[in-house]
Amino acid sequence: MQHDDVIWDVIGNRAFCSFKVKTKVQNFCRNEYNITGLCNRSSCPLANSQYATIREEKGQCFLYMKVIERAAFPARMWEKVKLSKNYEKALEQIDQNLIYWPRFIRHKCKQRFTKITQYLIRIRKLTLKRQRKLVPLSRKVEAREKRKEEKALIAAQLDNAIEKELLERLKQGTYGDIYNFPIHAFDKALEHQDEESETDSEEEEDDEDVGKKEFVAEDEIEESDLSDFEDMDNLKAGSDEHEESSEEDESEEEMEEEPEASGSKGKMPLKGAVFRKKRAYVEIEYEQEMEPVPKSKAT
Amino acid sequence: YTKLSTCTVGGGIMIEKTEPEHVDAPAEFSFPPTFSVSEIKNKQRRHLMFMKLKQEKRKQKVAMKKKKKKERDALGDKAPPKEVPKTIENQRVYDETTVNPEDEEVAFDEGTDEFSAYFNRLTNPKVLITTSDRPRGRTVRFCNQLATVIPDAHVYYRRGLALKKVIPQCIARGFTYLMVINEDRKVPNGMVLCHLPDGPTAHFKVSSVRLRKEMKRRGKDPTEHSPEVILNNFTTRLGHSMGRLFAALFPHDPQFVGRQVATFHNQRDFIFFRFHRYIFKNEKRVGIQELGPRFTLKLRSLQKGTFDSKFGEYEWVLKRHENDVCRRRFNL
């Protein structure tokens, strides 16, 4: 026989109920068929032979009913009714099925059903929004990558690379006329060229000047030509010796040249023009500054 | 030593054989051919023998080096040139997608790809920088510093918006780039760089972020001048497209007055970003001073079209097992 009061007396008050969760303020019931979730005389599914609940499976709501007639058949105890997806219709269904049932159970069923539909709506809304995907990081892999990065950084030699690139760009002239260095670069490049061509030019000069007739225009300043001839003579004397000693001679000649150069004012602005004609001569002037050092070393 | 020999267990005859040799001539060793140090059972002795073995090897190595040096000096000018040491860059597995500068196909591709608009000077870059949800202070500061480095960059707070909805709005307002810095545990760790009018989307892993105040010997804040861009070591086809991606972030004409340079240097698939101010001391020397944030990027995936992680078409995805096979294989 089903004595609800006795059952409640035992499990609710005196002895142990495995579904009961006790907290300081309240008692909860963990039974899956419980309608409110609290441990009460009217909410306990074990202590009420006539009972109903709403439960949800995969977005579908069902009404479960238990009557005393089926108390002896545990397998068939709960009657399951599928509720319609329409909220109002479902409420009507609940009313129809639970007609003549106690007010408490009817009310609580409807309340539970409302809450369930609300959270189902929320689930559907959230799935449409951005889903956050958690990607697991493997510790070993991360440590390996970190080490690789450090080694790559060392191998990269960033500062050197950047400096090299910037100097390359400067040489190629991407900066245009902003910096004044290009002149020096130009001169140095020409110095290199002239060191190579000096030996050539020495040989050529002998042949050229002997046979050729040069037609000099009136515009061209003759002073430079005259001084060039003087230099040529001096050079011829020096060309027999070694390069170094020839340079020394030339430097002595340059000492003579310089006052001439400074004297003839017309020469200075023509450096460019003279440059192109007889490159070697102007270049020698630069070398002069470097000469005193080896001299001192020898002594 | 004799005491030890009686105490040792196992190894037996072998140890006793080497024993007297040990005592007689400690400098010279002649082990029986099948002997190895690991066969000695006694740990102390094994250790001792191993140390001695190592010393021997080291001595031999030093002797070899000396000999070589002597030979080299003796030969003088005729000595063979010094061998170049092997580095990972030297030994890099040849990548068939390496771009040849005169390759016509590549040039044609680049003339018609999504960046051609930029490189033909039809558009000016305009960058939108944002973060993932609820960024922490470090990420926010990083975004702000990035915005000073990249001219015409705007930082916007994310507020939980979906990227797919943000992108049409950006296009409508004329942005060319969308940069999203992803944050994890209060530190930026990912970046999505999306070229806007239906351009490619690149997803990077960000590491080693240094903010401006953490830099040693840094200079003053960057000015508003457009920086120059240096792109190093982008050799393969993928690297090329990456290079163009980065180049299109900055305006075409750098203002040399500002003397600022932004560098993207690729080394072993890691892209190092640096921002410097330079000054030419003379035509052979330049001084650089680092300002601005620095970080490293590693490309994780390149997707055609704007950001769409579900249905997008991926041109390239980082697969760890491909690169784990060979240490000298790189993609960029």
Side-chain angles (χ1 to χ4, degrees), chain A residues 126-146:
Chain A
L126 284 176
T127 51
L128 288 175
K129 278 195 182 177
R130 308 153 53 212
Q131 303 279 26
R132 182 165 297 186
K133 187 174 165 192
L134 292 175
V135 175
L137 296 174
S138 166
R139 225 176 297 167
K140 273 191 190 171
V141 172
E142 293 302 308
R144 216 183 291 152
E145 295 240 313
K146 196 161 155 241

mmCIF file of all heavy atoms in Angstrom, chain A residues 126-146:
data_model
loop_
_atom_site.group_PDB
_atom_site.id
_atom_site.type_symbol
_atom_site.label_atom_id
_atom_site.label_comp_id
_atom_site.label_asym_id
_atom_site.label_seq_id
_atom_site.Cartn_x
_atom_site.Cartn_y
_atom_site.Cartn_z
ATOM 1 N N LEU A 126 21.998 32.175 -28.737
ATOM 2 C CA LEU A 126 23.446 32.209 -28.526
ATOM 3 C C LEU A 126 24.201 31.475 -29.613
ATOM 4 O O LEU A 126 25.291 31.867 -29.996
ATOM 5 C CB LEU A 126 23.800 31.594 -27.164
ATOM 6 C CG LEU A 126 23.533 32.468 -25.952
ATOM 7 C CD1 LEU A 126 23.828 31.705 -24.683
ATOM 8 C CD2 LEU A 126 24.374 33.719 -25.992
ATOM 9 N N THR A 127 23.597 30.382 -30.115
ATOM 10 C CA THR A 127 24.325 29.643 -31.148
ATOM 11 C C THR A 127 24.472 30.469 -32.412
ATOM 12 O O THR A 127 25.383 30.258 -33.195
ATOM 13 C CB THR A 127 23.629 28.319 -31.512
ATOM 14 O OG1 THR A 127 22.261 28.614 -31.782
ATOM 15 C CG2 THR A 127 23.727 27.319 -30.408
ATOM 16 N N LEU A 128 23.562 31.437 -32.613
ATOM 17 C CA LEU A 128 23.702 32.272 -33.796
ATOM 18 C C LEU A 128 24.805 33.301 -33.647
ATOM 19 O O LEU A 128 25.402 33.735 -34.624
ATOM 20 C CB LEU A 128 22.392 33.011 -34.074
ATOM 21 C CG LEU A 128 21.263 32.147 -34.591
ATOM 22 C CD1 LEU A 128 20.012 32.980 -34.703
ATOM 23 C CD2 LEU A 128 21.618 31.553 -35.933
ATOM 24 N N LYS A 129 25.076 33.681 -32.419
ATOM 25 C CA LYS A 129 26.147 34.659 -32.209
ATOM 26 C C LYS A 129 27.498 33.990 -32.343
ATOM 27 O O LYS A 129 27.600 32.851 -32.727
ATOM 28 C CB LYS A 129 25.997 35.251 -30.800
ATOM 29 C CG LYS A 129 24.997 36.337 -30.719
ATOM 30 C CD LYS A 129 25.167 37.095 -29.408
ATOM 31 C CE LYS A 129 24.112 38.169 -29.309
ATOM 32 N NZ LYS A 129 24.199 38.873 -28.031
ATOM 33 N N ARG A 130 28.602 34.762 -32.026
ATOM 34 C CA ARG A 130 29.952 34.236 -32.208
ATOM 35 C C ARG A 130 30.226 33.119 -31.220
ATOM 36 O O ARG A 130 30.005 33.251 -30.053
ATOM 37 C CB ARG A 130 30.965 35.344 -31.999
ATOM 38 C CG ARG A 130 30.675 36.545 -32.825
ATOM 39 C CD ARG A 130 31.223 37.766 -32.175
ATOM 40 N NE ARG A 130 32.614 37.565 -31.885
ATOM 41 C CZ ARG A 130 33.221 38.097 -30.849
ATOM 42 N NH1 ARG A 130 32.551 38.853 -30.016
ATOM 43 N NH2 ARG A 130 34.486 37.885 -30.650
ATOM 44 N N GLN A 131 30.742 32.038 -31.764
ATOM 45 C CA GLN A 131 31.126 30.925 -30.924
ATOM 46 C C GLN A 131 32.605 31.063 -30.632
ATOM 47 O O GLN A 131 33.393 31.239 -31.542
ATOM 48 C CB GLN A 131 30.898 29.602 -31.654
ATOM 49 C CG GLN A 131 29.496 29.391 -32.117
ATOM 50 C CD GLN A 131 28.644 28.904 -30.990
ATOM 51 O OE1 GLN A 131 28.934 29.159 -29.826
ATOM 52 N NE2 GLN A 131 27.587 28.210 -31.313
ATOM 53 N N ARG A 132 32.976 30.928 -29.388
ATOM 54 C CA ARG A 132 34.388 31.008 -29.068
ATOM 55 C C ARG A 132 34.968 29.601 -29.139
ATOM 56 O O ARG A 132 34.452 28.690 -28.510
ATOM 57 C CB ARG A 132 34.576 31.570 -27.667
ATOM 58 C CG ARG A 132 36.019 31.709 -27.300
ATOM 59 C CD ARG A 132 36.159 32.569 -26.103
ATOM 60 N NE ARG A 132 35.674 33.918 -26.415
ATOM 61 C CZ ARG A 132 35.786 34.930 -25.585
ATOM 62 N NH1 ARG A 132 36.325 34.757 -24.409
ATOM 63 N NH2 ARG A 132 35.331 36.107 -25.912
ATOM 64 N N LYS A 133 36.017 29.494 -29.914
ATOM 65 C CA LYS A 133 36.627 28.170 -30.046
ATOM 66 C C LYS A 133 37.904 28.158 -29.214
ATOM 67 O O LYS A 133 38.772 28.987 -29.388
ATOM 68 C CB LYS A 133 36.960 27.930 -31.522
ATOM 69 C CG LYS A 133 37.446 26.551 -31.814
ATOM 70 C CD LYS A 133 37.592 26.387 -33.325
ATOM 71 C CE LYS A 133 38.408 25.163 -33.633
ATOM 72 N NZ LYS A 133 38.802 25.125 -35.029
ATOM 73 N N LEU A 134 38.001 27.208 -28.332
ATOM 74 C CA LEU A 134 39.200 27.113 -27.504
ATOM 75 C C LEU A 134 40.176 26.162 -28.170
ATOM 76 O O LEU A 134 39.853 25.019 -28.445
ATOM 77 C CB LEU A 134 38.841 26.601 -26.112
ATOM 78 C CG LEU A 134 38.013 27.568 -25.278
ATOM 79 C CD1 LEU A 134 37.609 26.918 -23.989
ATOM 80 C CD2 LEU A 134 38.797 28.830 -24.989
ATOM 81 N N VAL A 135 41.369 26.675 -28.410
ATOM 82 C CA VAL A 135 42.397 25.857 -29.066
ATOM 83 C C VAL A 135 43.415 25.460 -28.012
ATOM 84 O O VAL A 135 44.024 26.318 -27.392
ATOM 85 C CB VAL A 135 43.084 26.677 -30.175
ATOM 86 C CG1 VAL A 135 44.212 25.893 -30.780
ATOM 87 C CG2 VAL A 135 42.085 27.078 -31.223
ATOM 88 N N PRO A 136 43.623 24.182 -27.800
ATOM 89 C CA PRO A 136 44.574 23.788 -26.762
ATOM 90 C C PRO A 136 46.010 24.007 -27.217
ATOM 91 O O PRO A 136 46.354 23.740 -28.360
ATOM 92 C CB PRO A 136 44.282 22.305 -26.569
ATOM 93 C CG PRO A 136 43.681 21.871 -27.833
ATOM 94 C CD PRO A 136 42.992 23.039 -28.427
ATOM 95 N N LEU A 137 46.837 24.503 -26.302
ATOM 96 C CA LEU A 137 48.250 24.710 -26.608
ATOM 97 C C LEU A 137 49.044 23.579 -25.986
ATOM 98 O O LEU A 137 48.847 23.247 -24.836
ATOM 99 C CB LEU A 137 48.738 26.026 -25.993
ATOM 100 C CG LEU A 137 48.129 27.308 -26.480
ATOM 101 C CD1 LEU A 137 48.650 28.455 -25.643
ATOM 102 C CD2 LEU A 137 48.498 27.555 -27.927
ATOM 103 N N SER A 138 49.937 23.034 -26.782
ATOM 104 C CA SER A 138 50.766 21.971 -26.233
ATOM 105 C C SER A 138 52.010 22.595 -25.631
ATOM 106 O O SER A 138 52.703 23.371 -26.281
ATOM 107 C CB SER A 138 51.146 21.027 -27.374
ATOM 108 O OG SER A 138 52.177 20.180 -26.976
ATOM 109 N N ARG A 139 52.287 22.268 -24.393
ATOM 110 C CA ARG A 139 53.390 22.926 -23.714
ATOM 111 C C ARG A 139 54.718 22.665 -24.398
ATOM 112 O O ARG A 139 55.541 23.562 -24.574
ATOM 113 C CB ARG A 139 53.452 22.430 -22.267
ATOM 114 C CG ARG A 139 53.651 23.552 -21.278
ATOM 115 C CD ARG A 139 53.602 23.050 -19.883
ATOM 116 N NE ARG A 139 52.298 22.496 -19.556
ATOM 117 C CZ ARG A 139 52.074 21.761 -18.477
ATOM 118 N NH1 ARG A 139 53.039 21.492 -17.644
ATOM 119 N NH2 ARG A 139 50.878 21.286 -18.220
ATOM 120 N N LYS A 140 54.921 21.427 -24.784
ATOM 121 C CA LYS A 140 56.194 21.089 -25.419
ATOM 122 C C LYS A 140 56.375 21.857 -26.716
ATOM 123 O O LYS A 140 57.441 22.384 -27.011
ATOM 124 C CB LYS A 140 56.226 19.593 -25.732
ATOM 125 C CG LYS A 140 56.712 18.755 -24.634
ATOM 126 C CD LYS A 140 56.945 17.354 -25.164
ATOM 127 C CE LYS A 140 57.199 16.416 -24.027
ATOM 128 N NZ LYS A 140 57.213 15.032 -24.472
ATOM 129 N N VAL A 141 55.294 21.906 -27.473
ATOM 130 C CA VAL A 141 55.387 22.580 -28.770
ATOM 131 C C VAL A 141 55.683 24.052 -28.578
ATOM 132 O O VAL A 141 56.510 24.632 -29.286
ATOM 133 C CB VAL A 141 54.082 22.380 -29.558
ATOM 134 C CG1 VAL A 141 54.097 23.223 -30.799
ATOM 135 C CG2 VAL A 141 53.902 20.928 -29.906
ATOM 136 N N GLU A 142 55.012 24.636 -27.602
ATOM 137 C CA GLU A 142 55.239 26.063 -27.371
ATOM 138 C C GLU A 142 56.668 26.329 -26.951
ATOM 139 O O GLU A 142 57.304 27.285 -27.407
ATOM 140 C CB GLU A 142 54.283 26.563 -26.266
ATOM 141 C CG GLU A 142 52.835 26.531 -26.672
ATOM 142 C CD GLU A 142 52.573 27.355 -27.903
ATOM 143 O OE1 GLU A 142 52.969 28.530 -27.924
ATOM 144 O OE2 GLU A 142 51.977 26.819 -28.850
ATOM 145 N N ALA A 143 57.194 25.450 -26.074
ATOM 146 C CA ALA A 143 58.573 25.646 -25.628
ATOM 147 C C ALA A 143 59.534 25.502 -26.805
ATOM 148 O O ALA A 143 60.487 26.269 -26.966
ATOM 149 C CB ALA A 143 58.911 24.637 -24.545
ATOM 150 N N ARG A 144 59.235 24.541 -27.684
ATOM 151 C CA ARG A 144 60.107 24.320 -28.846
ATOM 152 C C ARG A 144 60.100 25.547 -29.740
ATOM 153 O O ARG A 144 61.134 26.016 -30.218
ATOM 154 C CB ARG A 144 59.584 23.111 -29.606
ATOM 155 C CG ARG A 144 60.670 22.267 -30.211
ATOM 156 C CD ARG A 144 60.083 21.153 -31.005
ATOM 157 N NE ARG A 144 59.415 20.170 -30.162
ATOM 158 C CZ ARG A 144 58.408 19.413 -30.566
ATOM 159 N NH1 ARG A 144 57.930 19.522 -31.769
ATOM 160 N NH2 ARG A 144 57.877 18.543 -29.741
ATOM 161 N N GLU A 145 58.911 26.072 -29.973
ATOM 162 C CA GLU A 145 58.810 27.235 -30.861
ATOM 163 C C GLU A 145 59.538 28.432 -30.265
ATOM 164 O O GLU A 145 60.185 29.200 -30.975
ATOM 165 C CB GLU A 145 57.330 27.601 -31.053
ATOM 166 C CG GLU A 145 56.538 26.553 -31.768
ATOM 167 C CD GLU A 145 55.946 27.075 -33.047
ATOM 168 O OE1 GLU A 145 55.372 28.161 -33.019
ATOM 169 O OE2 GLU A 145 56.099 26.383 -34.066
ATOM 170 N N LYS A 146 59.434 28.545 -28.951
ATOM 171 C CA LYS A 146 60.097 29.690 -28.304
ATOM 172 C C LYS A 146 61.611 29.593 -28.488
ATOM 173 O O LYS A 146 62.279 30.572 -28.826
ATOM 174 C CB LYS A 146 59.755 29.664 -26.811
ATOM 175 C CG LYS A 146 60.038 30.950 -26.114
ATOM 176 C CD LYS A 146 59.271 31.042 -24.802
ATOM 177 C CE LYS A 146 60.019 31.994 -23.893
ATOM 178 N NZ LYS A 146 60.470 31.392 -22.664
#
